[in-house]
mmCIF file with all atom_site columns, all heavy atoms in Angstrom:
data_model
loop_
_atom_site.group_PDB
_atom_site.id
_atom_site.type_symbol
_atom_site.label_atom_id
_atom_site.label_alt_id
_atom_site.label_comp_id
_atom_site.label_asym_id
_atom_site.label_entity_id
_atom_site.label_seq_id
_atom_site.pdbx_PDB_ins_code
_atom_site.Cartn_x
_atom_site.Cartn_y
_atom_site.Cartn_z
_atom_site.occupancy
_atom_site.B_iso_or_equiv
_atom_site.pdbx_formal_charge
_atom_site.auth_seq_id
_atom_site.auth_comp_id
_atom_site.auth_asym_id
_atom_site.auth_atom_id
_atom_site.pdbx_PDB_model_num
ATOM 1   N N   . SER A 1 463 ? 137.511 85.904 100.275 1.00 0.00 ? 463 SER A N   1
ATOM 2   C CA  . SER A 1 463 ? 138.043 84.583 99.917  1.00 0.00 ? 463 SER A CA  1
ATOM 3   C C   . SER A 1 463 ? 136.883 83.487 100.022 1.00 0.00 ? 463 SER A C   1
ATOM 4   O O   . SER A 1 463 ? 136.769 82.653 99.152  1.00 0.00 ? 463 SER A O   1
ATOM 5   C CB  . SER A 1 463 ? 139.113 84.172 100.884 1.00 0.00 ? 463 SER A CB  1
ATOM 6   O OG  . SER A 1 463 ? 140.245 84.968 100.809 1.00 0.00 ? 463 SER A OG  1
ATOM 7   N N   . LEU A 1 464 ? 136.120 83.723 101.074 1.00 0.00 ? 464 LEU A N   1
ATOM 8   C CA  . LEU A 1 464 ? 134.998 82.802 101.264 1.00 0.00 ? 464 LEU A CA  1
ATOM 9   C C   . LEU A 1 464 ? 134.037 82.837 100.084 1.00 0.00 ? 464 LEU A C   1
ATOM 10  O O   . LEU A 1 464 ? 133.609 81.747 99.522  1.00 0.00 ? 464 LEU A O   1
ATOM 11  C CB  . LEU A 1 464 ? 134.193 83.177 102.489 1.00 0.00 ? 464 LEU A CB  1
ATOM 12  C CG  . LEU A 1 464 ? 134.496 82.679 103.961 1.00 0.00 ? 464 LEU A CG  1
ATOM 13  C CD1 . LEU A 1 464 ? 133.396 82.885 104.813 1.00 0.00 ? 464 LEU A CD1 1
ATOM 14  C CD2 . LEU A 1 464 ? 134.867 81.148 103.788 1.00 0.00 ? 464 LEU A CD2 1
ATOM 15  N N   . LEU A 1 465 ? 133.645 83.986 99.759  1.00 0.00 ? 465 LEU A N   1
ATOM 16  C CA  . LEU A 1 465 ? 132.679 84.133 98.608  1.00 0.00 ? 465 LEU A CA  1
ATOM 17  C C   . LEU A 1 465 ? 133.295 83.613 97.306  1.00 0.00 ? 465 LEU A C   1
ATOM 18  O O   . LEU A 1 465 ? 132.626 83.009 96.423  1.00 0.00 ? 465 LEU A O   1
ATOM 19  C CB  . LEU A 1 465 ? 132.285 85.656 98.568  1.00 0.00 ? 465 LEU A CB  1
ATOM 20  C CG  . LEU A 1 465 ? 131.353 86.116 99.684  1.00 0.00 ? 465 LEU A CG  1
ATOM 21  C CD1 . LEU A 1 465 ? 131.358 87.590 99.796  1.00 0.00 ? 465 LEU A CD1 1
ATOM 22  C CD2 . LEU A 1 465 ? 129.928 85.525 99.495  1.00 0.00 ? 465 LEU A CD2 1
ATOM 23  N N   . LYS A 1 466 ? 134.572 83.896 97.107  1.00 0.00 ? 466 LYS A N   1
ATOM 24  C CA  . LYS A 1 466 ? 135.297 83.538 95.888  1.00 0.00 ? 466 LYS A CA  1
ATOM 25  C C   . LYS A 1 466 ? 135.240 82.023 95.825  1.00 0.00 ? 466 LYS A C   1
ATOM 26  O O   . LYS A 1 466 ? 134.856 81.402 94.734  1.00 0.00 ? 466 LYS A O   1
ATOM 27  C CB  . LYS A 1 466 ? 136.761 84.018 95.833  1.00 0.00 ? 466 LYS A CB  1
ATOM 28  C CG  . LYS A 1 466 ? 137.606 83.692 94.726  1.00 0.00 ? 466 LYS A CG  1
ATOM 29  C CD  . LYS A 1 466 ? 138.960 83.686 95.083  1.00 0.00 ? 466 LYS A CD  1
ATOM 30  C CE  . LYS A 1 466 ? 139.689 85.088 95.051  1.00 0.00 ? 466 LYS A CE  1
ATOM 31  N NZ  . LYS A 1 466 ? 139.986 85.556 93.726  1.00 0.00 ? 466 LYS A NZ  1
ATOM 32  N N   . LEU A 1 467 ? 135.630 81.254 96.907  1.00 0.00 ? 467 LEU A N   1
ATOM 33  C CA  . LEU A 1 467 ? 135.630 79.819 96.967  1.00 0.00 ? 467 LEU A CA  1
ATOM 34  C C   . LEU A 1 467 ? 134.220 79.235 96.809  1.00 0.00 ? 467 LEU A C   1
ATOM 35  O O   . LEU A 1 467 ? 133.946 78.388 96.048  1.00 0.00 ? 467 LEU A O   1
ATOM 36  C CB  . LEU A 1 467 ? 136.166 79.420 98.338  1.00 0.00 ? 467 LEU A CB  1
ATOM 37  C CG  . LEU A 1 467 ? 137.755 79.410 98.427  1.00 0.00 ? 467 LEU A CG  1
ATOM 38  C CD1 . LEU A 1 467 ? 138.192 79.424 99.871  1.00 0.00 ? 467 LEU A CD1 1
ATOM 39  C CD2 . LEU A 1 467 ? 138.375 78.246 97.624  1.00 0.00 ? 467 LEU A CD2 1
ATOM 40  N N   . ALA A 1 468 ? 133.214 79.935 97.417  1.00 0.00 ? 468 ALA A N   1
ATOM 41  C CA  . ALA A 1 468 ? 131.852 79.362 97.392  1.00 0.00 ? 468 ALA A CA  1
ATOM 42  C C   . ALA A 1 468 ? 131.344 79.623 96.034  1.00 0.00 ? 468 ALA A C   1
ATOM 43  O O   . ALA A 1 468 ? 130.638 78.614 95.400  1.00 0.00 ? 468 ALA A O   1
ATOM 44  C CB  . ALA A 1 468 ? 130.982 80.181 98.415  1.00 0.00 ? 468 ALA A CB  1
ATOM 45  N N   . HIS A 1 469 ? 131.551 80.615 95.347  1.00 0.00 ? 469 HIS A N   1
ATOM 46  C CA  . HIS A 1 469 ? 131.100 81.031 93.951  1.00 0.00 ? 469 HIS A CA  1
ATOM 47  C C   . HIS A 1 469 ? 131.743 80.015 92.961  1.00 0.00 ? 469 HIS A C   1
ATOM 48  O O   . HIS A 1 469 ? 131.027 79.424 92.082  1.00 0.00 ? 469 HIS A O   1
ATOM 49  C CB  . HIS A 1 469 ? 131.452 82.348 93.629  1.00 0.00 ? 469 HIS A CB  1
ATOM 50  C CG  . HIS A 1 469 ? 131.115 82.806 92.239  1.00 0.00 ? 469 HIS A CG  1
ATOM 51  N ND1 . HIS A 1 469 ? 131.996 82.980 91.253  1.00 0.00 ? 469 HIS A ND1 1
ATOM 52  C CD2 . HIS A 1 469 ? 129.830 83.051 91.670  1.00 0.00 ? 469 HIS A CD2 1
ATOM 53  C CE1 . HIS A 1 469 ? 131.395 83.289 90.106  1.00 0.00 ? 469 HIS A CE1 1
ATOM 54  N NE2 . HIS A 1 469 ? 130.030 83.375 90.332  1.00 0.00 ? 469 HIS A NE2 1
ATOM 55  N N   . ALA A 1 470 ? 133.042 79.731 93.086  1.00 0.00 ? 470 ALA A N   1
ATOM 56  C CA  . ALA A 1 470 ? 133.734 78.811 92.195  1.00 0.00 ? 470 ALA A CA  1
ATOM 57  C C   . ALA A 1 470 ? 133.053 77.421 92.226  1.00 0.00 ? 470 ALA A C   1
ATOM 58  O O   . ALA A 1 470 ? 132.748 76.787 91.215  1.00 0.00 ? 470 ALA A O   1
ATOM 59  C CB  . ALA A 1 470 ? 135.118 78.713 92.490  1.00 0.00 ? 470 ALA A CB  1
ATOM 60  N N   . TYR A 1 471 ? 132.773 76.907 93.400  1.00 0.00 ? 471 TYR A N   1
ATOM 61  C CA  . TYR A 1 471 ? 132.125 75.607 93.573  1.00 0.00 ? 471 TYR A CA  1
ATOM 62  C C   . TYR A 1 471 ? 130.720 75.689 93.024  1.00 0.00 ? 471 TYR A C   1
ATOM 63  O O   . TYR A 1 471 ? 130.290 74.731 92.297  1.00 0.00 ? 471 TYR A O   1
ATOM 64  C CB  . TYR A 1 471 ? 132.074 75.240 95.101  1.00 0.00 ? 471 TYR A CB  1
ATOM 65  C CG  . TYR A 1 471 ? 131.270 73.919 95.396  1.00 0.00 ? 471 TYR A CG  1
ATOM 66  C CD1 . TYR A 1 471 ? 131.775 72.727 95.103  1.00 0.00 ? 471 TYR A CD1 1
ATOM 67  C CD2 . TYR A 1 471 ? 129.960 74.071 95.760  1.00 0.00 ? 471 TYR A CD2 1
ATOM 68  C CE1 . TYR A 1 471 ? 131.085 71.580 95.282  1.00 0.00 ? 471 TYR A CE1 1
ATOM 69  C CE2 . TYR A 1 471 ? 129.197 72.924 95.879  1.00 0.00 ? 471 TYR A CE2 1
ATOM 70  C CZ  . TYR A 1 471 ? 129.735 71.708 95.720  1.00 0.00 ? 471 TYR A CZ  1
ATOM 71  O OH  . TYR A 1 471 ? 128.969 70.544 95.909  1.00 0.00 ? 471 TYR A OH  1
ATOM 72  N N   . GLU A 1 472 ? 129.979 76.698 93.395  1.00 0.00 ? 472 GLU A N   1
ATOM 73  C CA  . GLU A 1 472 ? 128.529 76.852 92.922  1.00 0.00 ? 472 GLU A CA  1
ATOM 74  C C   . GLU A 1 472 ? 128.525 76.759 91.368  1.00 0.00 ? 472 GLU A C   1
ATOM 75  O O   . GLU A 1 472 ? 127.657 76.080 90.856  1.00 0.00 ? 472 GLU A O   1
ATOM 76  C CB  . GLU A 1 472 ? 128.050 78.169 93.453  1.00 0.00 ? 472 GLU A CB  1
ATOM 77  C CG  . GLU A 1 472 ? 126.663 78.456 92.953  1.00 0.00 ? 472 GLU A CG  1
ATOM 78  C CD  . GLU A 1 472 ? 126.268 79.897 93.315  1.00 0.00 ? 472 GLU A CD  1
ATOM 79  O OE1 . GLU A 1 472 ? 126.706 80.844 92.619  1.00 0.00 ? 472 GLU A OE1 1
ATOM 80  O OE2 . GLU A 1 472 ? 125.472 80.098 94.265  1.00 0.00 ? 472 GLU A OE2 1
ATOM 81  N N   . GLN A 1 473 ? 129.396 77.485 90.783  1.00 0.00 ? 473 GLN A N   1
ATOM 82  C CA  . GLN A 1 473 ? 129.262 77.584 89.359  1.00 0.00 ? 473 GLN A CA  1
ATOM 83  C C   . GLN A 1 473 ? 129.711 76.276 88.643  1.00 0.00 ? 473 GLN A C   1
ATOM 84  O O   . GLN A 1 473 ? 129.257 75.994 87.549  1.00 0.00 ? 473 GLN A O   1
ATOM 85  C CB  . GLN A 1 473 ? 130.217 78.720 88.794  1.00 0.00 ? 473 GLN A CB  1
ATOM 86  C CG  . GLN A 1 473 ? 129.882 80.045 89.153  1.00 0.00 ? 473 GLN A CG  1
ATOM 87  C CD  . GLN A 1 473 ? 128.377 80.444 88.769  1.00 0.00 ? 473 GLN A CD  1
ATOM 88  O OE1 . GLN A 1 473 ? 127.997 80.374 87.670  1.00 0.00 ? 473 GLN A OE1 1
ATOM 89  N NE2 . GLN A 1 473 ? 127.527 80.688 89.777  1.00 0.00 ? 473 GLN A NE2 1
ATOM 90  N N   . ALA A 1 474 ? 130.397 75.401 89.351  1.00 0.00 ? 474 ALA A N   1
ATOM 91  C CA  . ALA A 1 474 ? 130.801 74.097 88.864  1.00 0.00 ? 474 ALA A CA  1
ATOM 92  C C   . ALA A 1 474 ? 129.769 73.021 89.107  1.00 0.00 ? 474 ALA A C   1
ATOM 93  O O   . ALA A 1 474 ? 129.958 71.869 88.757  1.00 0.00 ? 474 ALA A O   1
ATOM 94  C CB  . ALA A 1 474 ? 132.199 73.694 89.331  1.00 0.00 ? 474 ALA A CB  1
ATOM 95  N N   . THR A 1 475 ? 128.716 73.306 89.912  1.00 0.00 ? 475 THR A N   1
ATOM 96  C CA  . THR A 1 475 ? 127.816 72.313 90.317  1.00 0.00 ? 475 THR A CA  1
ATOM 97  C C   . THR A 1 475 ? 126.361 72.789 90.060  1.00 0.00 ? 475 THR A C   1
ATOM 98  O O   . THR A 1 475 ? 126.061 73.930 89.955  1.00 0.00 ? 475 THR A O   1
ATOM 99  C CB  . THR A 1 475 ? 128.006 72.016 91.814  1.00 0.00 ? 475 THR A CB  1
ATOM 100 O OG1 . THR A 1 475 ? 127.864 73.263 92.508  1.00 0.00 ? 475 THR A OG1 1
ATOM 101 C CG2 . THR A 1 475 ? 129.323 71.337 92.115  1.00 0.00 ? 475 THR A CG2 1
#
Side-chain angles (χ1 to χ4, degrees):
S463 301
L464 271 195
L465 290 160
K466 182 202 279 278
L467 282 161
H469 177 254
Y471 172 81
E472 175 192 75
Q473 294 305 303
T475 54

